[in-house]
Structure formats: structure tokens, C-alpha cells
Amino acid sequence: MKRRSIVTGLAILMALGMLFAAAYAAIVGSKKEGLVEYVGAQKTIFATGKAASVVTIEDLADRKGLYAMGPIDGLDGEITIFDSKPYITQVRGKDYTLDKTFKHGAFFLVWTEQQQWQDVPLPAAVKGYVDLQRFVKEQAQKSGIDVTKPFPFLLSGTPVEIKWHINVDRTEGKPITNELFVKSKEPFVTKNEPVDIIGFFSESHSGIFLSQYAPAIKEGSGMKNAIHIHLVSRTSKASGHIDDITFGDGMVLRLPKP
């Protein structure tokens, strides 16, 4: 009888272990590199002409220290998850909505699970997007992070200005091209507003979870875009993809502790 109880107990533990493993392996096709994981790719929408969902963010709902970003499937908004809290914005009419649930899909998503960070004050010389890209790489190298692999970073403070957008489908049912993708963005400007910013750095994931160029880094400039950054306002519903930024005093960069 005792032996049967032990066998039964082991069977239950194994079943629970399999359920736990299944929950964390539920994101089919995801890849892990460096300090980040990702699924899907931006370039796929141009190959297929569609922004089809590859993941539901409900699969990530129970993870601790989660930071993630991506575009909602169908070009219908922006996904930002900051410290396991979702901020989902979608254009509706002349305004936009903010939803704080995980009930959304993305056509690509990049994320990290990170609870230990180190703070680096942003110097006055870092004035904007291009300066930030250089500074993030430089400070990551100094702190021992392998910059040949993708890694996350955070920013907090009150920028002078942020130019940002939310995806909104303006394809009129046509296959997605680069031109229609650029058109399918509603621009916004936020000034002197305290925010938290999540970013991902990589010099080798263009067309996957970041664009080769950005509004702040023009084609032909001799530079390539290496960051993807989203904001979450502390005082309003503003949240979405940052195109350009002008920093104010007192900004703080946060890097993962190696």
C-alpha cells in the first residue's frame, strides 16, 4: 500500500512538472539569444503581405519581471509590457484607447525576464535617439554585458519631448508593403511628461524585432538602427513606439546586472 502511495505521488509530481514545462514552452517558434527571447519577425509581413498573429501575450501573463514589446496583429495597435503589467494602445477614431489586459496577439514580440538592474545617470551629452543608441552600447560594454547579443535596457525620467506612434491599419485590405506599413502609423507627441521606457538593443536583428532605420536614423546617414524603444507614461494613457526623443535633465538608464 505504501509503495502504491509513493508511485502515485511521483506520478502526480511528474504530471505537475510536465504542466509547468508546457506552460513555459507554449510559445511555439520562440528563440532565446543573449538576455532576450523573441518570436516572429517584422520582415515576415512584407513576405506574406499579412500581419498575422504568431503569439498571444496571455502565454506570458504569469511571468515575473517581464518586459516586452511588439505590434498587435492586423496592424491594430502597440503592445508594451512593463514589469509584468500590459499597456495596450489602439487607435479608435481621432483618439486612442489604453487596455491593461493580456488578451491580444502580436505578429512579432520580443521580451525579457529581468528583476535585477543597475542604474546609470544619463549625462547631458546624451541629447537624443542617436546619442542614446551609442551610450547604451558603451555602458553595456563597461558593465560586462555581451553587446554582440541582444539585451534589454530601461530609462526613467521626464524627457523634453517624445515623438511616438501607434500602428493603425491603413492598407485598405491590400497586401502590406513597406510603404503601406509606414502609412499605417498614427503619430503623437508627448512633452515634459514623466515616463518609463523599455528598450531592446541589437546590431544583428534588423527586420526581426527592430527596423533597419528609424525616423531619427535616416537611410544614407551611415548609421543603422540598433534599438527598439517604447514608452509608458506615468501620468496619462500614452504608450507606444518611440520614433524620436529629446532628453531632459535627471534621466536614468537601467541595465541588466550581468
Side-chain angles (χ1 to χ4, degrees):
M1 191 69 178
K2 186 176 180 181
R3 178 182 175 84
R4 182 179 295 176
S5 297
I6 292 172
V7 171
T8 302
L10 287 172
I12 291 171
L13 287 172
M14 289 177 66
L16 288 172
M18 290 175 68
L19 285 172
F20 182 84
Y24 273 76
I27 301 177
V28 177
S30 65
K31 298 179 180 179
K32 181 173 176 59
E33 292 184 50
L35 299 175
V36 311
E37 294 180 67
Y38 60 92
V39 64
Q42 185 188 79
K43 61 186 177 183
T44 301
I45 66 172
F46 305 123
T48 64
K50 299 177 181 179
S53 179
V54 296
V55 64
T56 170
I57 59 172
E58 288 182 294
D59 291 340
L60 298 167
D62 296 325
R63 305 198 183 192
K64 306 296 183 183
L66 178 69
Y67 297 85
M69 64 174 67
I72 295 178
D73 51 17
L75 299 178
D76 190 29
E78 300 289 338
I79 293 168
T80 308
I81 301 175
F82 192 92
D83 197 12
S84 300
K85 298 179 179 66
Y87 300 85
I88 315 299
T89 45
Q90 294 173 289
V91 175
R92 295 294 181 263
K94 295 182 179 180
D95 199 5
Y96 62 92
T97 61
L98 173 65
D99 180 43
K100 295 185 178 182
T101 73
F102 285 88
K103 298 184 181 298
H104 299 274
F107 63 84
F108 75 81
L109 193 75
V110 56
W111 68 93
T112 189
E113 293 172 74
Q114 184 74 32
Q115 299 186 59
Q116 299 295 320
W117 301 88
Q118 53 188 323
D119 291 356
V120 181
L122 211 65
V126 179
K127 300 182 181 302
Y129 190 104
V130 174
D131 298 329
L132 175 66
Q133 179 167 299
R134 293 192 184 107
F135 186 70
V136 166
K137 181 179 180 180
E138 172 190 300
Q139 293 300 312
Q141 286 175 314
K142 287 182 179 180
S143 69
I145 295 171
D146 183 355
V147 299
T148 66
K149 297 178 180 178
F151 63 87
F153 62 93
L154 306 176
L155 287 161
S156 62
T158 305
V160 174
E161 181 180 84
I162 301 176
K163 294 179 180 178
W164 57 285
H165 75 257
I166 299 173
N167 281 340
V168 54
D169 186 3
R170 293 188 174 129
T171 64
E172 298 179 344
K174 299 174 184 176
I176 300 170
T177 62
N178 187 66
E179 291 73 23
L180 286 175
F181 184 55
V182 171
K183 182 181 177 181
S184 295
K185 300 179 189 300
E186 184 66 25
F188 299 93
V189 178
T190 296
K191 295 186 178 183
N192 299 308
E193 194 165 319
V195 298
D196 289 304
I197 294 171
I198 172 178
F200 290 90
F201 180 98
S202 176
E203 293 180 324
S204 57
H205 288 78
S206 174
I208 300 175
F209 56 78
L210 51 81
S211 299
Q212 185 176 17
Y213 299 101
I217 299 178
K218 305 294 185 184
E219 188 171 0
S221 66
M223 285 190 67
K224 294 292 179 66
N225 183 48
I227 58 175
H228 185 170
I229 50 178
H230 279 208
L231 79 144
V232 173
S233 173
R234 296 181 184 175
T235 58
S236 75
K237 63 182 180 180
S239 181
H241 180 107
I242 297 175
D243 294 317
D244 206 350
I245 189 167
T246 302
F247 292 110
D249 296 332
M251 297 291 300
V252 176
L253 169 68
R254 306 191 78 196
L255 291 168
K257 287 187 176 180

